[in-house]
Amino acid sequence: MTAVQLGDGLNVSPLGFGGMALTPVYGGIDPEEGLQTLRHAVDAGITFIDTADVYGAGSNEELVGRLLKERRDDIQVATKFGIEGNPADGYTGVRGDAPYIRQAVEASLRRLDTDVIDLYYMHRRDLRVPIVETVEAMAELVREGKVRHLGLSEVTAEELRQANAVHPIAAIQSEWSIWSRDVELNVVPAAKELGVGFVPYSPLGRGFLTGTVSANDLGENDFRHKIPRFGDEALDANQAVVAAIREVASELDATPAQVALAWLFTQGQRLGISVVPIPGTRKPHRIDENLGALSLQLGTAQLEMLDQAAAAVVGSRSSDPNWVSEGREAGNVG
């Protein structure tokens, strides 16, 4: 596969792998099965592996570390700092101060069993700390050779501009998909202006856009229960989005997942920005399915159908508006 350049000269595979799927956040997971899935991803040509210190309370980084021990030269590894707690149990806070960043990167390097992190993200914004101070502390890690490139997650357009003035930002990561398009208003244009690549997380709508998720499919401990658009009434209403994706998939002899990913690739082209989605899965064959989206072409009428369906989505993508960039855009928090 031809590599895609994000920002700051970072080249990665055109499709990445989101490690959060290989944690208990969606139910129990066997680490050995998770490792086999990661191995299959790299064998299939995916070199961009995304994790975070909060995923599985560090266990996901340790799992990725086992992969790095085998295939370090083949992989660009991204990880994140800033969230305290565990997605499965609830978050306890956000930190972006320099002493915490220093502590966090050393712990991540140890768990990943590597000397350098290819892309180091601020996972969420600590509103108590000016973003320029957080990024300056991150930039120090680049100067020391512990980190190669810097990234930010769920920041506003203004936050991105302030951060990039301190040190080049290689990538911004936010939720972006057919049913999560709020970033297109301000954040995507800012990223394009600054030459920052975009890494959409949850590009398949946390599984919903694949047409395989209903209220009855969510286990008792599934954290999607906390997301407004996964509430029973919203989930039923949002089946209209899935219906549109299914119709396009049928026309193209493709799967809904492939259509959802192809839409993102096309949207990146339409908006003039490098886009590298990071869908996660526990099943190796889903990796092969997702890669099929790279060769899928959507027609004008099909794009119009998907755009119309997206405009009718019910429910927000987070129960806390300040948790994601959309909730802070109006205030331009700096």
Side-chain angles (χ1 to χ4, degrees):
M1 290 183 285
T2 303
V4 172
Q5 186 170 103
L6 294 172
D8 195 31
L10 175 59
N11 294 303
V12 300
S13 55
L15 191 71
F17 183 91
M20 185 173 168
L22 302 179
T23 68
V25 71
Y26 296 117
I29 177 70
D30 181 346
E32 295 303 319
E33 291 181 2
L35 182 58
Q36 290 301 320
T37 299
L38 287 171
R39 286 171 174 158
H40 184 83
V42 178
D43 288 342
I46 292 175
T47 65
F48 186 39
I49 308 297
D50 179 276
T51 182
D53 59 2
V54 73
Y55 295 165
S59 64
N60 194 249
E61 284 186 326
E62 291 173 349
L63 181 65
V64 173
R66 294 174 62 186
L67 178 71
L68 294 181
K69 199 170 186 66
E70 303 170 355
R71 306 286 296 272
R72 184 64 183 98
D73 291 343
D74 300 325
I75 294 169
Q76 302 89 43
V77 64
T79 193
K80 315 177 198 72
F81 74 89
I83 298 178
E84 297 179 299
N86 188 320
D89 303 325
Y91 304 111
T92 58
V94 176
R95 287 186 63 179
D97 56 283
Y100 180 80
I101 294 169
R102 174 70 55 177
Q103 171 189 336
V105 75
E106 296 296 345
S108 288
L109 286 167
R110 183 176 62 254
R111 286 189 291 262
L112 289 167
D113 195 15
T114 188
D115 295 328
V116 61
I117 295 165
D118 296 295
L119 178 58
Y120 198 44
Y121 285 102
M122 179 190 75
H123 205 166
R124 286 296 188 278
R125 172 77 200 283
D126 183 348
L127 297 178
R128 300 166 300 180
V129 180
I131 193 164
V132 294
E133 293 184 13
T134 297
V135 177
E136 177 53 43
M138 296 168 68
E140 184 65 26
L141 303 178
V142 177
R143 292 190 284 269
E144 293 175 5
K146 297 180 185 294
V147 170
R148 291 194 172 108
H149 301 276
L150 303 184
L152 304 171
S153 180
E154 290 292 0
V155 293
T156 66
E158 181 59 26
E159 289 166 349
L160 177 58
R161 291 189 180 94
Q162 291 182 24
N164 196 70
V166 175
H167 187 281
I169 301 300
I172 181 170
Q173 182 175 136
S174 287
E175 185 172 353
W176 188 12
S177 67
I178 290 174
W179 78 340
S180 294
R181 299 184 58 179
D182 53 276
V183 293
E184 295 176 15
L185 184 61
N186 297 303
V187 182
V188 171
K192 177 185 177 182
E193 165 196 328
L194 299 170
V196 177
F198 212 103
V199 177
Y201 72 79
S202 298
L204 301 179
R206 304 189 187 277
F208 181 74
L209 301 181
T210 67
T212 61
V213 177
S214 68
N216 295 330
D217 297 317
L218 305 184
E220 181 179 351
N221 297 323
D222 194 308
F223 93 113
R224 286 173 288 187
H225 285 296
K226 302 175 183 178
I227 301 174
R229 63 179 50 168
F230 278 90
D232 291 348
E233 292 185 7
L235 208 58
D236 289 341
N238 288 330
Q239 291 298 333
V241 182
V242 176
I245 295 173
R246 283 187 183 278
E247 183 171 342
V248 172
S250 178
E251 292 175 359
L252 296 174
D253 193 24
T255 68
Q258 290 171 337
V259 169
L261 291 171
W263 179 88
L264 260 176
F265 294 132
T266 304
Q267 193 69 347
Q269 294 169 1
R270 290 198 285 185
L271 298 177
I273 187 172
S274 295
V275 172
V276 180
I278 50 169
T281 183
R282 298 181 173 191
K283 300 175 181 178
H285 76 273
R286 294 296 187 192
I287 294 170
D288 301 329
E289 175 187 343
N290 293 341
L291 285 168
L294 292 169
S295 58
L296 195 64
Q297 298 294 319
L298 301 178
T300 301
Q302 293 161 340
L303 288 168
E304 289 177 354
M305 180 187 301
L306 296 172
D307 288 343
Q308 290 173 4
V313 171
V314 175
S316 63
R317 63 185 179 94
S318 175
S319 58
D320 180 356
N322 285 321
W323 188 247
V324 295
S325 60
E326 178 185 23
R328 302 196 310 281
E329 277 291 352
N332 288 326
V333 180

